[in-house]
Amino acid sequence: ASTPQAIVKMTRSPEFNHRLENEYKTLDRLAKGRFVAPETFPQPLFFDYHNGLAVLAQKAVSGVPFRTRTSATPDCHLAQSAIDWIAQLAVSSIDSSTTTSAEAGANLRVLYKRFSATYSLTAVEKSFMQLQLDRLENREGQFPTVFQHGDPGTWNILVSDSDEVIFIDWEAGEDRGMPLWDLFYFMRTYASWVERSKGNKDALENFSNSFLQQSAIADWLARSVRTYCRKIGLQPELVEPLFYTCWMHRALKESTRLKQAQLGDGHFVNLLKMCIAQRQAPALDVLFSNDMNVQPDQTCDETRCDAVTMERE
C-alpha cells in the first residue's frame, strides 16, 4: 500500500506496559462510546504481549502535524477546531451521577499530599492550594467527570486533508477525567507555540504574557471556558480550583521525569507558583468570574478586583 494501514506500538521495557494497556482500554471505550467522530482518533485493532512487552495495534490515521498547519495566531481556525473537539468530547461523555464533589476533592487531596511532599512550597502556597481543594471537597452535590485525553498538546494532534483535527497518543486517557483540564493544557501548549513562533523562548514568560496579562489568548481562553461550562453545566465557581489543580497535576507528572536536584527547576511547579503569586492578575479575574455574562475583554473595575481577591484569600 502507498500509505500505512496500521500502527503497532510496543514498549521498550515491561515497566511501561501500563501506558499501552491504558491506551488500548481508552481507545476501546472511546470507539464504543461514539463520543466523537471515529476518524478523529485512532481505532484500536488488538492488544497483546510479546516476550513480556505490551503490543498495541491501531488503524493508521492520515494527517500532518498540527504545528505545520496552524497559523500560530490567536484566531487560528485549526486551534479553534481542537477546542471545539475537546468541548464536544466533554459534552458527549459527561457523567454527573457517579462522583460527588467530596469524592473528587478527596481524590485531588491525595495528589496534593504527594505534590507537597515532592516540591518545596511556601506557607502561602500551601494555604492557597488547600483552599482550592476545600472549595471542591466542601461543595455539595455531584461532580461532573468527562472523557479526557490527558495529554492534548499540539504535538499530539494531526490535521487531515479536509482540515479535521485528529488526536493521537492516548496513553494518559481517562474515561472519568477532570473537566476543563484538557482545554487548559491544550491552550497552554498552543499559546507556547504561538510565542515560540515569534522567537520568544522563555516558557514561563510566554505563559504570563498569554494567560496572566490581558491578551488575545487570555480572551480566547475565557470565551472557550465559558462556552465549555455552559455546554456541560459546569458551575463557574469550579473553574478556579480546576485551573490550579490542573497545573498541580502536571507538576506531579513532570516530577517523575526529573532528578531530585532538578525539582526546583520544573516547568509546571514554577508555572503554578507564578499563578499563585499573580492570582490578582487581570486576565485571571475575568477567567474566574462567576458571572458568565462578563465579557473576556471587559476591563476589571478596581474595586471589584479587590473584592474578588479578598474573597479568594
Side-chain angles (χ1 to χ4, degrees), residues 125-142:
E125 291 164 348
K126 289 181 179 180
S127 176
F128 182 83
M129 289 305 299
Q130 289 170 353
L131 175 62
Q132 301 308 312
L133 295 172
D134 288 343
R135 293 176 65 184
L136 278 173
E137 200 167 5
N138 297 335
R139 179 178 173 272
E140 295 183 359
Q142 298 299 114

Side-chain angles (χ1 to χ4, degrees), residues 93-308:
S93 65
I94 185 172
D95 182 353
S96 299
S97 62
T98 58
T99 304
T100 66
S101 294
E103 289 171 337
N107 289 335
L108 287 175
R109 195 172 292 279
V110 172
L111 293 182
Y112 170 72
K113 289 180 180 179
R114 289 169 52 193
F115 172 75
S116 59
T118 301
Y119 292 102
S120 176
L121 304 175
T122 67
V124 171
E125 291 164 348
K126 289 181 179 180
S127 176
F128 182 83
M129 289 305 299
Q130 289 170 353
L131 175 62
Q132 301 308 312
L133 295 172
D134 288 343
R135 293 176 65 184
L136 278 173
E137 200 167 5
N138 297 335
R139 179 178 173 272
E140 295 183 359
Q142 298 299 114
F143 182 86
T145 59
V146 300
F147 213 106
Q148 183 180 338
H149 181 282
D151 191 23
T154 53
W155 52 85
N156 278 337
I157 304 175
L158 302 178
V159 180
S160 70
D161 291 339
S162 59
D163 267 7
E164 192 163 35
V165 292
I166 306 168
F167 284 74
I168 61 174
D169 286 345
W170 287 77
E171 296 174 7
E174 294 187 44
D175 59 350
R176 291 173 60 192
M178 301 296 287
L180 285 176
W181 279 12
D182 272 356
L183 176 59
F184 288 144
Y185 190 63
F186 168 75
M187 289 294 286
R188 187 208 71 85
T189 66
Y190 181 71
S192 178
W193 186 249
V194 170
E195 291 299 314
R196 287 174 63 86
S197 298
K198 299 176 183 177
N200 303 329
K201 305 300 183 182
D202 189 311
L204 287 178
E205 182 180 343
N206 290 344
F207 184 89
S208 177
N209 292 339
S210 298
F211 293 112
L212 302 184
Q213 308 307 315
Q214 291 180 325
S215 67
I217 293 287
D219 290 347
W220 194 5
L221 175 62
R223 292 195 303 271
S224 299
V225 166
R226 279 162 174 68
T227 300
Y228 185 110
C229 289
R230 282 196 296 267
K231 284 185 174 181
I232 72 168
L234 185 70
Q235 296 300 312
E237 59 266 23
L238 292 178
V239 174
E240 184 174 8
L242 286 170
F243 178 84
Y244 287 102
T245 54
C246 175
W247 309 128
M248 177 190 75
H249 178 248
R250 285 287 157 183
L252 196 55
K253 292 184 68 173
E254 185 181 33
S255 69
T256 64
R257 304 190 299 272
L258 300 175
K259 296 180 180 179
Q260 184 69 29
Q262 299 173 319
L263 289 174
D265 298 323
H267 171 71
F268 285 106
V269 68
N270 283 301
L271 185 155
L272 176 59
K273 286 173 173 284
M274 181 175 66
C275 288
I276 295 174
Q278 300 185 40
R279 56 192 178 276
Q280 300 179 34
L284 291 184
D285 182 69
V286 175
L287 178 63
F288 301 148
S289 171
N290 286 344
D291 183 359
M292 297 299 285
N293 295 316
V294 172
Q295 297 302 311
D297 58 352
Q298 179 175 326
T299 301
C300 177
D301 176 78
E302 183 176 350
T303 303
R304 178 175 170 275
C305 282
D306 289 341
V308 172

